[in-house]
C-alpha cells in the first residue's frame, strides 16, 4: 500500500509522514525526490526546471515503489508534491497496473500559514523563494487535486492530528 501526501511546500507533508510512520505498522517513508536527484546526475537528459518533467522520473517512481513493496512489504508513505495532473495520472495508473493500493491525500493550509511555514523553515532556507513562487501553481492545481485526492486541512492542527486523521481514513 502507498499513502501519498501531496500538497504544496509548507503544508506539512514531511512532518506528517514521520508521524504516519509511527502510527502505521510496517510503514516507511519513500522519498521520491531521491529518484530525481539520481536523474540529475545524468548529463544526457535535457535540462528541466523540475525533475518531474522527465518522463523517466515518473516511471522510476512507480518501478521503485513496486520493487520496494515486493522486497519489504508494508506501507510506503510518499511526501511528494505533484501539481501536474498528467504526471499524477501517469503515476497513479502505473501503481494501479502494478496492483498497488493507493491512498492519495492533499494536505492544504491557508495562504498565511503556508507563507509563515516557508518563511520560518530553517532546514531548507535556501529554497524559500522557489517555494513561495510555487504557491500560485498549487492554488491553480487545487481543483483537480481535490477531485483526485482526499483534502486534509493542516492549518491550526498538529502534524500528529493530521496523521491520526489519515491513519483513521485508511484503516
Amino acid at each position: 500500500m502507498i499513502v501519498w501526501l501531496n500538497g504544496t511546500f509548507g503544508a506539512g507533508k514531511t512532518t506528517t509522514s514521520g508521524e504516519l510512520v509511527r502510527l502505521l505498522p510496517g510503514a516507511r517513508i519513500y522519498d521520491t525526490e531521491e529518484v530525481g536527484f539520481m536523474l540529475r546526475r545524468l548529463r544526457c537528459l535535457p535540462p528541466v526546471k523540475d525533475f518531474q518533467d522527465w518522463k523517466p522520473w515518473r516511471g522510476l517512481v512507480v518501478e521503485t515503489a513496486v520493487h520496494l513493496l515486493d522486497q519489504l512489504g508494508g506501507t510506503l508513505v510518499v511526501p511528494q508534491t505533484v501539481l501536474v495532473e498528467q504526471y499524477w495520472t501517469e503515476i497513479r495508473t502505473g501503481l494501479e497496473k502494478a496492483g498497488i493500493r493507493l491512498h492519495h491525500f492533499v494536505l492544504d493550509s491557508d495562504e498565511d500559514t503556508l507563507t509563515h511555514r516557508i518563511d520560518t523553515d530553517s532546514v531548507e532556507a535556501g529554497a524559500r523563494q522557489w517555494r513561495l513562487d510555487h504557491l500560485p501553481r498549487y492554488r491553480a492545481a487545487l481543483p483537480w487535486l481535490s477531485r483526485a485526492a482526499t483534502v486534509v486541512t493542516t492549518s491550526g492542527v498538529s502534524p500528529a492530528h493530521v496523521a491520526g486523521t489519515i491513519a483513521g481514513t485508511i484503516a
Side-chain angles (χ1 to χ4, degrees), residues 1-6 28-40 45 50-70 76-82 84 86-98 100-102 104:
M1 171 173 64
I2 291 179
V3 178
W4 195 292
L5 302 184
N6 206 335
R28 57 196 48 85
I29 294 173
Y30 166 34
D31 185 352
T32 60
E33 285 193 9
E34 295 296 331
V35 176
F37 298 152
M38 176 194 69
L39 290 173
R40 280 200 174 135
L45 291 172
D50 186 332
F51 53 70
Q52 290 185 15
D53 294 334
W54 285 318
K55 189 166 182 66
W57 178 80
R58 301 182 301 274
L60 286 170
V61 162
V62 170
E63 287 301 313
T64 303
V66 168
H67 289 286
L68 286 172
L69 288 170
D70 283 349
L76 298 178
V77 178
V78 180
Q80 180 66 57
T81 302
V82 179
V84 178
Q86 173 191 335
Y87 298 174
W88 176 251
T89 299
E90 289 177 37
I91 292 167
R92 186 201 71 230
T93 302
L95 294 171
E96 286 173 357
K97 285 182 179 176
I100 296 173
R101 193 168 62 158
L102 173 65
H104 184 203

Side-chain angles (χ1 to χ4, degrees), residues 2 6 9 18 41 54 62 70-71 73 83 87 89-90 117 124 133 142 144:
I2 291 179
N6 206 335
F9 306 100
R41 291 187 183 101
W54 285 318
V62 170
D70 283 349
Q71 177 72 32
L83 299 181
Y87 298 174
T89 299
E90 289 177 37
R117 289 176 181 169
E124 302 247 7
D133 291 345
L142 198 51
W144 78 258

Side-chain angles (χ1 to χ4, degrees), residues 106-127:
V106 173
L107 304 188
D108 184 55
S109 287
D110 62 77
E111 202 80 15
D112 289 340
T113 300
L114 292 171
T115 302
H116 174 74
R117 289 176 181 169
I118 292 168
D119 282 342
T120 58
D121 183 354
S122 60
V123 176
E124 302 247 7

